[in-house]
């Protein structure tokens, strides 16, 4: 079977060395395995994503030597698809509406004392999980905004609590109870749009037949959620690789605001794609 990898950036700024590292790792793996490399545009954060960044990121990736087939999948064009998956999860009882504002969540956490703080920020204290059906209907009818949260307890009851996933370099990774506690009932359908990062990424990797997901260490914990969703939705499980993050001279992770390390700035200052590879420790054989 031929392998499929992908690079899935959000067009919310210029690409920097950290993105180049992710893209090149996925690209090189596809080349080594004689597989297919996809580019996917994850543009569901409407406040931050801009079409102009999409064009610019394609220019940067092509300059690095990457090739992909057009048209690329753009998540904002497939909201109905994500909505149908959310609907399936809801019908099966794995989602519940959450009316809390961010402020209310933080206040509830403060009131309850120390709450686990996971990789995604403060863990949702579960305020809306136990609302009665009547109360839910009443709030929805009265026009309150709501997100849909992942009912982890119900999901784990369905698929069992001893899940693992495959890591390309480290073998089987078990998901511990503590990992779930640090994630909490994450949002799968945002208030402003019919999906969320977690839902769209799982749905698209499935639809596009992605077999190997190569991405940064910052998304390691998200993989637990993705694997649980794949189980619930009867989707095959890809193999994962979470690479280390590229840092600046002070050891700080690069961010989109670090203008000097954008690929555009490096290119304009005369740096070549081969030098970028060298800087990233990705020399070709
Ligand atoms: N769109 C995500 C980002 O730019 C990456 C998603 C993924 O690789 O799963 O951080």
């Amino acid at each position: 079977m031929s392998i499929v990898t992908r690079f899935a950036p959000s067009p919310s700024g210029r690409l920097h060395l950290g993105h180049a590292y992710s893209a090149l790792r996925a690209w090189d793996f596809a080349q080594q395995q004689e597989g297919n490399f996809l580019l996917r545009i994850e543009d569901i954060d409407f406040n931050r994503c801009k079409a102009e960044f999409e064009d610019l990121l394609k220019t940067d990736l092509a300059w690095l030597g990457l090739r992909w087939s057009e048209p690329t999948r753009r998540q904002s064009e497939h909201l109905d698809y994500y909505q149908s998956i959310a609907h399936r999860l809801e019908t099966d009882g794995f989602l519940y509406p959450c009316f809390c504002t961010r402020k209310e969540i933080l206040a509830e956490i403060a009131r309850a004392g120390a709450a686990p703080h996971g990789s995604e920020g403060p863990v949702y204290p579960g305020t809306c999980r136990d609302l009665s059906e009547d109360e839910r209907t009443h709030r929805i009818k009265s026009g309150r905004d709501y997100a849909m949260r992942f009912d982890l307890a119900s999901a784990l009851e369905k698929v069992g609590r001893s899940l693992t996933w495959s890591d390309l370099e480290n073998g089987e990774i078990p998901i511990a109870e503590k990992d779930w506690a640090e994630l909490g009932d994450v949002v799968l359908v945002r208030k402003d749009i019919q999906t969320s990062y977690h839902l769209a990424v799982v749905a698209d990797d499935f639809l596009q037949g992605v077999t190997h997901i190569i991405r940064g260490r910052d998304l390691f914990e998200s993989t637990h959620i993705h694997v649980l969703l794949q189980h619930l939705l009867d989707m095959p499980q890809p193999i994962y690789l979470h690479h280390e993050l590229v840092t600046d001279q002070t050891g700080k992770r690069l961010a989109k605001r670090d203008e000097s390390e954008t690929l555009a700035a490096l290119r304009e200052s005369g740096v070549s794609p081969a030098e970028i590879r060298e800087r990233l420790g990705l020399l070709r054989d």
Side-chain angles (χ1 to χ4, degrees):
M1 190 191 74
S2 179
I3 69 114
V4 181
T5 69
R6 49 50 163 200
F7 177 55
S10 294
S12 57
R14 300 304 306 256
L15 295 188
H16 55 57
L17 279 177
H19 298 110
Y21 187 68
S22 246
L24 285 167
R25 290 283 311 251
W27 166 258
D28 285 356
F29 186 73
Q31 298 295 103
Q32 280 157 19
Q33 305 287 320
E34 295 178 25
N36 197 8
F37 170 85
L38 307 175
L39 174 65
R40 184 169 73 226
I41 306 298
E42 303 212 325
D43 59 346
I44 53 171
D45 190 342
F46 297 142
N47 291 327
R48 293 170 53 233
C49 295
K50 294 200 174 66
E52 70 203 63
F53 288 131
E54 183 182 324
D55 294 339
L56 293 169
L57 72 84
K58 287 183 176 176
T59 306
D60 291 343
L61 294 174
W63 172 72
L64 278 179
L66 276 58
R67 301 287 175 264
W68 57 90
S69 48
E70 289 281 355
T72 48
R73 186 172 175 85
R74 196 179 287 126
Q75 289 190 324
S76 59
E77 292 169 357
H78 301 282
L79 300 181
D80 287 353
Y81 168 55
Y82 310 130
Q83 195 175 23
S84 71
I85 294 189
H87 183 69
R88 194 169 141 196
L89 289 168
E90 185 185 358
T91 310
D92 290 346
F94 302 122
L95 298 184
Y96 62 86
C98 169
F99 305 88
C100 297
T101 61
R102 199 175 150 70
K103 212 166 136 192
E104 284 164 350
I105 294 173
L106 293 177
E108 176 58 23
I109 288 174
R111 198 193 57 79
H117 195 97
S119 58
E120 303 220 344
V123 175
Y124 181 61
T127 324
C128 288
R129 189 189 300 128
D130 300 321
L131 290 180
S132 67
E133 257 335 295
D134 281 355
E135 181 60 24
R136 281 179 182 158
T137 312
H138 169 72
R139 291 191 190 190
I140 292 171
K141 279 203 174 134
S142 64
R144 296 260 304 260
D145 275 349
Y146 61 97
M148 295 296 269
R149 287 190 179 269
F150 196 8
D151 189 336
L152 282 190
S154 304
L156 290 169
E157 193 174 319
K158 168 87 196 275
V159 305
R161 304 188 81 91
S162 52
L163 291 183
T164 63
W165 46 269
S166 299
D167 179 289
L168 196 58
E169 287 173 352
N170 302 304
E172 282 304 290
I173 307 288
I175 313 177
E177 281 304 317
K178 169 177 132 324
D179 297 324
W180 297 122
E182 285 175 2
L183 284 159
D185 290 350
V186 295
V187 168
L188 290 189
V189 180
R190 293 189 338 223
K191 279 184 182 168
D192 61 328
I193 192 175
Q194 298 96 307
T195 188
S196 65
Y197 159 67
H198 294 302
L199 191 70
V201 89
V202 167
D204 281 352
D205 284 330
F206 164 68
L207 191 82
Q208 297 189 288
V210 174
T211 59
H212 290 73
I213 295 182
I214 297 174
R215 59 186 178 192
R217 176 67 186 77
D218 53 328
L219 292 169
F220 184 92
E221 285 80 10
S222 294
T223 300
H224 305 331
I225 296 288
H226 301 174
V227 165
L228 183 52
L229 284 171
Q230 288 150 5
H231 273 280
L232 291 174
L233 295 162
D234 295 321
M235 294 174 173
Q237 236 185 69
I239 294 171
Y240 290 87
L241 187 144
H242 297 91
H243 58 71
E244 62 278 29
L245 300 176
V246 178
T247 51
D248 64 12
Q249 280 94 341
T250 67
K252 205 166 55 57
R253 181 184 159 193
L254 293 182
K256 284 198 170 135
R257 58 184 174 277
D258 297 327
E259 302 277 312
S260 62
E261 302 289 16
T262 62
L263 296 179
L266 292 164
R267 181 167 66 238
E268 275 150 34
S269 71
V271 175
S272 70
E275 284 162 340
I276 300 269
R277 277 188 171 272
E278 196 180 325
R279 232 173 117 169
L280 294 170
L282 292 175
L283 291 175
R284 284 183 197 270
D285 316 325

